[in-house]
């Protein structure tokens, strides 16, 4: 890896971050808080929340097999995606490289930040060629984006392939593991210490069933996390989200149970989809959704809408012509979908 300073935008490296009242005072003994221009009424919502979410991170660290200092928490992992551009990429000068098809926000945030986005097509069977990815980089490439399991294709990339990218690229490699809980492959967040250039993204929105609280995670070296903390909004995760996260993590059996249930349903849905006459291909998946090629995606999509069932039409996405992305739901929801598809003409 290149030296970290040479990868970071000079203005960010030099940035003097905003120092908020709750940063400056961390003692336990005070009981009169007249430092932050808060109202004295409406406890506890009158107080600004912990800017660094230390309680959540302390509980989360052993669950994710990382240290608290290796965690950034944000308003969804989408916040972390945007911050990565703001930390590393000089607008109009630097570029990033990503696979295609993949999660759309990497490109949207590149466009917002005026950073060139280079995409490298996956193969027809959704595999990633590390040599092609590296060939698309140049001396201004700051970040490589890899989503594994990949959205919308659903597949994991083999660990050796990701290892090769991490070892041969000298900039930052982001592996978005939003869906890794649904996979049997060992996630990269557990080997953070082996890769100083690695940032792993996780979220409360998928296996932990809490998209509404908007809580995303980035795991990386302490030095990289310190940069996230410098650039983020001071109170980027609200009190209600922090409290809800702690409550969720206090009940791991329920979280684990949801995951088991979704994976079990996936085993039920995949073969049933494969048997439908309109289905041409069910792509292998390691996520809580499956990409399916059908005879006419636009027509099937509209037909399902007419039945009150919404799936994601990916027909217009590169390499995904006539593909629908279908999320795994409850047994009842899945059966309703399968039943409707059986009657499609
Ligand atoms: N990464 C991937 C691969 C996703 O599919 C999504 C959401 N669909 C996100 C990140 C964003 O997740 P969050 O809800 O944490 O912003």
């Amino acid at each position: 890896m290149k030296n970290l300073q040479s990868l970071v935008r000079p203005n960010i490296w030099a940035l003097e971050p905003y120092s908020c009242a709750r940063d400056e005072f961390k003692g336990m003994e005070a009981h009169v808080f007249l430092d932050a221009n808060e109202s004295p009424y409406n406890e506890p919502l009158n107080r600004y929340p912990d800017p660094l979410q230390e309680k959540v991170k302390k509980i989360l660290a052993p669950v994710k097999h990382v240290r608290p200092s290796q965690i950034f928490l944000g308003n969804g992992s989408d916040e972390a995606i945007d911050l990565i551009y703001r930390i590393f990429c000089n607008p109009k000068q630097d570029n990033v490289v990503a696979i295609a098809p993949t999660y759309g926000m990497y490109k949207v945030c590149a466009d917002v930040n005026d950073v060139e986005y280079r995409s490298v097509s996956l193969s027809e069977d959704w595999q990633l060629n590390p040599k092609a990815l590296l060939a698309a980089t140049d001396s201004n490439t700051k970040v490589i984006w890899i989503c594994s399991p990949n959205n919308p294709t659903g597949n994991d990339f083999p660990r050796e392939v990701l290892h090769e990218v991490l070892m041969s690229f000298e900039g930052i490699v982001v592996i978005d593991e939003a869906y890794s809980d649904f996979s049997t492959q060992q996630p990269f967040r557990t080997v953070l210490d082996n890769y100083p250039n690695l940032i792993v993204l996780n979220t409360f929105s998928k296996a932990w069933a809490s998209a509404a609280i908007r809580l995303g995670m980035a795991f990386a070296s302490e030095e990289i996390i310190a940069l996230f903390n410098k650039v983020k909004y001071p109170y980027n995760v609200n009190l209600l989200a922090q409290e809800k996260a702690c409550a969720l993590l206090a009940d791991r059996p329920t979280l684990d149970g949801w995951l088991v249930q979704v994976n079990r349903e996936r085993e039920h849905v995949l073969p049933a989809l494969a048997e439908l006459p309109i289905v041409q291909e069910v792509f292998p998946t390691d996520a809580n959704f499956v990409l399916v090629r059908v005879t006419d995606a636009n027509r099937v999509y509209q037909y399902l809408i007419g039945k009150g069932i919404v799936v994601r039409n990916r027909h217009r996405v590169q390499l995904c012509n006539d593909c629908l992305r279908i999320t795994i739901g409850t047994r009842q929801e899945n059966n309703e979908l399968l039943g409707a598809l059986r009657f499609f003409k």
Side-chain angles (χ1 to χ4, degrees):
M1 177 190 175
K2 284 184 192 156
N3 140 312
L4 185 60
Q5 184 174 356
S6 70
L7 290 171
V8 174
R9 290 168 66 193
N11 59 314
I12 300 299
W13 190 264
L15 182 72
E16 183 73 49
Y18 176 69
S19 172
C20 51
R22 291 296 116 83
D23 270 337
E24 286 179 11
F25 175 76
K26 285 213 168 138
M28 297 294 289
E29 64 282 356
H31 62 283
V32 178
F33 289 98
L34 303 176
D35 57 342
N37 300 346
E38 297 152 334
S39 167
Y41 308 115
N42 197 29
E43 284 276 348
L45 299 184
N46 58 338
R47 300 292 172 202
Y48 283 102
D50 175 1
L52 291 173
Q53 311 97 18
E54 283 175 3
K55 201 168 150 203
V56 185
K57 289 178 184 170
K58 198 165 162 220
I59 303 173
L60 197 55
V63 177
K64 293 291 185 181
H65 303 284
V66 297
R67 293 185 292 282
S69 56
Q70 295 175 311
I71 305 175
F72 161 79
L73 295 177
N75 186 343
S77 29
D78 288 341
E79 181 182 351
I81 294 169
D82 185 53
L83 281 175
I84 290 168
Y85 284 102
R86 292 164 64 199
I87 293 167
F88 296 106
C89 301
N90 291 294
K92 297 188 194 297
Q93 175 186 322
D94 293 332
N95 66 72
V96 302
V97 169
I99 55 175
T102 195
Y103 180 48
M105 281 302 282
Y106 313 141
K107 166 116 180 31
V108 171
C109 290
D111 291 345
V112 167
N113 287 285
D114 210 355
V115 170
E116 184 195 348
Y117 183 90
R118 302 178 173 182
S119 48
V120 177
S121 184
L122 296 175
S123 62
E124 294 271 334
D125 58 349
W126 312 133
Q127 294 308 307
L128 178 168
N129 176 349
K131 305 267 180 312
L133 214 53
L134 290 162
T137 64
D138 64 17
S139 58
N140 287 330
T141 307
K142 292 294 189 64
V143 178
I144 292 182
W145 293 95
I146 299 174
C147 182
S148 179
N150 188 32
N151 178 4
T153 61
N155 59 309
D156 259 336
F157 299 111
R159 283 181 68 77
E160 315 78 71
V161 169
L162 301 184
H163 173 79
E164 187 179 337
V165 177
L166 279 158
M167 296 308 282
S168 27
F169 180 56
E170 300 216 292
I172 300 294
V173 178
V174 182
I175 304 185
D176 186 343
E177 296 188 331
Y179 299 98
S180 61
D181 293 313
F182 303 101
S183 163
T184 50
Q185 186 161 277
Q186 190 200 350
F188 268 83
R189 62 178 158 71
T190 59
V191 289
L192 265 190
D193 290 334
N194 300 349
Y195 304 104
N197 58 339
L198 171 63
I199 300 176
V200 173
L201 303 182
N202 270 201
T203 177
F204 275 66
S205 302
K206 308 297 174 186
W208 286 353
S210 303
I213 71 171
R214 307 307 301 127
L215 197 53
M217 299 160 258
F219 308 117
S221 70
E222 274 181 34
E223 292 74 18
I224 293 177
I225 295 302
L227 292 163
F228 275 89
N229 289 337
K230 232 161 83 144
V231 179
K232 75 180 186 72
Y233 289 160
Y235 305 104
N236 62 327
V237 178
N238 73 65
L239 176 74
L240 304 180
Q242 294 190 40
E243 285 187 342
K244 193 66 194 174
C246 293
L248 281 161
L249 290 167
D251 186 6
R252 288 292 304 287
T254 296
L255 298 184
D256 295 344
W258 289 332
L259 178 60
V260 168
Q261 208 52 42
V262 170
N263 280 346
R264 198 174 287 157
E265 270 311 296
R266 188 172 64 185
E267 297 316 307
H268 164 69
V269 172
L270 264 52
L273 283 170
E275 278 178 13
L276 297 170
I278 53 157
V279 170
Q280 295 180 335
E281 191 159 9
V282 178
F283 292 103
T285 178
D286 303 290
N288 67 334
F289 59 85
V290 56
L291 194 69
V292 180
R293 180 159 282 131
V294 296
T295 42
D296 184 341
N298 289 338
R299 267 190 67 224
V300 177
Y301 176 79
Q302 286 305 334
Y303 164 80
L304 288 173
I305 293 280
K307 304 262 171 213
I309 301 169
V310 193
V311 297
R312 192 92 149 108
N313 186 357
R314 300 283 75 188
H315 177 59
R316 290 184 183 284
V317 172
Q318 186 174 344
L319 297 179
C320 294
N321 55 307
D322 277 322
C323 285
L324 300 175
R325 193 195 68 192
I326 301 174
T327 307
I328 305 297
T330 62
R331 173 59 58 101
Q332 196 188 339
E333 290 169 331
N334 301 331
N335 282 347
E336 197 173 326
L337 169 87
L338 291 165
L341 288 176
R342 280 188 197 108
F343 284 102
F344 177 81
K345 279 198 219 60

